[in-house]
Amino acid sequence: MRHDRVEVIARIIYEFEQLEQLVACLTDEDWSHSLLRLKGKDPWTVKDALAHIRHWKADAGRSI
């Protein structure tokens, strides 16, 4: 399946909007909640995971 620039940009915008809605509902306690990780991996919190997602999405957006 071939993706065109307009479709990819629209999808990125939609995904950011969905992520923003989820993040807006988080409490201070939610941000520090530990996530399950594979044995031997550094522990992550919700904040760590969201920072990772945000960086990846921003990087993908810049490359378009």
Side-chain angles (χ1 to χ4, degrees):
M1 178 170 145
R2 186 156 171 84
H3 302 283
D4 66 29
R5 186 172 199 254
V6 172
E7 185 269 330
V8 170
I9 291 171
R11 187 175 29 157
I12 290 170
I13 290 169
Y14 173 77
E15 289 174 358
F16 267 118
E17 289 170 349
Q18 295 296 302
L19 185 59
E20 179 64 29
Q21 287 180 12
L22 291 172
V23 170
C25 298
L26 294 176
T27 65
D28 289 343
E29 185 178 316
D30 292 334
W31 285 99
S32 61
H33 182 78
S34 295
L35 301 177
L36 294 175
R37 299 268 292 161
L38 294 174
K39 188 175 183 173
K41 296 282 186 178
D42 290 335
W44 275 19
T45 63
V46 170
K47 179 182 174 184
D48 297 327
L50 288 170
H52 178 80
I53 292 168
R54 174 65 177 89
H55 173 78
W56 183 86
K57 287 190 167 295
D59 192 48
R62 281 189 298 274
S63 66
I64 291 174

